[in-house]
Amino acid sequence: MKKKLSIILSGTLILGGLLAGCGGDKAPETDANKTQTEAPAGQTATGELKDGTYFAQGEMNEKSGWQYNVTLKVEGGKITDADWNATNIKAGPDKKTVSESGEYGMKAGGAQAEWHEQAEKAEQFLIEKQDPAAITVNDEGKTDAISGVSISVNEFVELAQKALQAGPTEAGPYKDGAYHAEGEMDANSGWKSTVDLTVVNGNVVAAYFSGVNEAGEDKQDFSKDGKYGMKEKGGAQAEWHEQVQKAQQFFLENQGVGSASFNDEGKTDAISGVSIGVQEYFTLAEKALEGAKK
């Protein structure tokens, strides 16, 4: 009986020691173990917005031909200016400029106000509310929160949120606006090279490398319609417009010629999938931006 009791007591002591050991091995909670909740890049430790300029750009809508962007200015921790705009697939004038000139023609289509007028109301609403989330949208991207606004505002809301989340950005070296340059008519090819650029927040955000012939046809459109026929007629790896668009993208990513060098034919190995001569377009782009320098 004593022997049995002794075994029970020993087992109790061992179990107690194991439990104590488990508790003792638990590491004390440190700051590294705690879940950290960091403030968005555009906010200070107190939750206020950092002063500066905020910018965000959406994706190109191939159907409409517009790519939206939002520029916000913050002073004293508050949004003091908002600019909702869009660049065209062919660069050139921005959407507000096109709307202001009457070319967009929303009122002619039965709208209560032109696009730029409605965009300005959305901008003012954001400045008043100081929060993009205050603009509630339905499944069509439209809102009842802003009187006089019937256009879709979902991209404005999303891009404003994206810009604030990313934090302030430095403006580029150019003056905002549309810029154009063109070369000489090539007697052999029958095309004159053209370049159109759009600058927003000091940076080139839209580029269109193309050309025009005696009939006034656009070279990229000519190629898209299958009239140029580089693949069919010349055995090229891609059509002309597909290759020149890659050169456009390279220009935008590098804000210029970047590391590209060209041979005597104006061709480069720096841009994958581009076998056509594109040097003239980079030269024309540089010429177009001469008047854009601040």
Side-chain angles (χ1 to χ4, degrees):
M1 185 69 181
K2 288 182 179 180
K3 185 176 181 181
K4 186 177 180 181
L5 180 60
S6 175
I7 293 171
I8 293 173
L9 289 173
S10 298
T12 303
L13 290 171
I14 292 170
L15 179 60
L18 287 172
L19 291 173
C22 289
D25 287 342
K26 185 179 179 182
E29 189 172 20
T30 64
D31 290 340
N33 298 118
K34 295 177 182 178
T35 301
Q36 298 289 333
T37 304
E38 296 183 3
Q43 291 185 357
T44 64
T46 61
E48 288 186 349
L49 292 173
K50 297 176 183 176
D51 288 0
T53 301
Y54 296 69
F55 177 80
Q57 182 170 241
E59 298 295 325
M60 172 61 71
N61 185 317
E62 298 289 338
K63 186 177 180 180
S64 71
W66 293 106
Q67 183 175 15
Y68 287 97
N69 61 72
V70 168
T71 307
L72 306 174
K73 291 185 179 179
V74 173
E75 296 177 347
K78 293 186 177 182
I79 300 171
T80 57
D81 186 70
D83 183 21
W84 176 28
N85 212 332
T87 54
N88 193 266
I89 195 169
K90 293 187 176 181
D94 57 70
K95 192 169 185 177
K96 277 186 176 176
T97 300
V98 173
S99 177
E100 288 166 357
S101 68
E103 294 179 61
Y104 200 69
M106 279 189 62
K107 289 183 74 174
Q112 57 186 319
E114 298 293 355
W115 188 87
H116 70 280
E117 296 172 322
Q118 297 193 47
E120 287 168 2
K121 290 184 178 182
E123 294 164 351
Q124 189 57 42
F125 187 87
L126 174 59
I127 294 171
E128 291 172 1
K129 300 297 183 181
Q130 293 291 304
D131 184 5
I135 307 174
T136 54
V137 298
N138 60 22
D139 293 339
E140 295 180 328
K142 299 185 177 183
T143 183
D144 292 325
I146 312 171
S147 177
V149 175
S150 59
I151 59 175
S152 297
V153 295
N154 55 312
E155 289 212 53
F156 175 54
V157 173
E158 291 166 7
L159 289 175
Q161 291 172 327
K162 182 179 177 181
L164 292 173
Q165 185 67 34
T169 181
E170 290 198 19
Y174 305 115
K175 292 180 288 187
D176 288 4
Y179 300 91
H180 173 84
E182 57 187 52
E184 300 293 329
M185 180 65 74
D186 188 308
N188 294 321
S189 70
W191 292 100
K192 175 170 61 175
S193 297
T194 61
V195 165
D196 287 278
L197 307 172
T198 311
V199 175
V200 178
N201 193 34
N203 294 302
V204 182
V205 297
Y208 190 67
F209 296 172
S210 193
V212 62
N213 60 15
E214 292 287 355
E217 294 175 293
D218 179 89
K219 194 172 183 178
Q220 279 208 42
D221 290 341
F222 192 85
S223 176
K224 289 176 182 178
D225 291 340
K227 298 176 183 178
Y228 207 71
M230 279 187 63
K231 289 178 71 174
E232 182 182 348
K233 300 174 184 177
Q237 58 185 319
E239 296 294 356
W240 187 87
H241 68 279
E242 295 172 323
Q243 296 194 46
V244 82
Q245 285 172 5
K246 289 183 178 181
Q248 288 173 187
Q249 189 58 37
F250 182 90
F251 177 86
L252 290 174
E253 290 172 356
N254 293 276
Q255 291 293 293
V257 70
S259 60
S261 59
F262 304 91
N263 62 20
D264 294 339
E265 296 178 316
K267 298 181 179 181
T268 181
D269 294 325
I271 311 172
S272 178
V274 176
S275 60
I276 61 175
V278 293
Q279 183 177 18
E280 184 179 15
Y281 290 103
F282 287 86
T283 302
L284 287 174
E286 186 176 354
K287 179 181 177 183
L289 290 171
E290 286 179 358
K293 295 175 181 176
K294 293 179 180 178

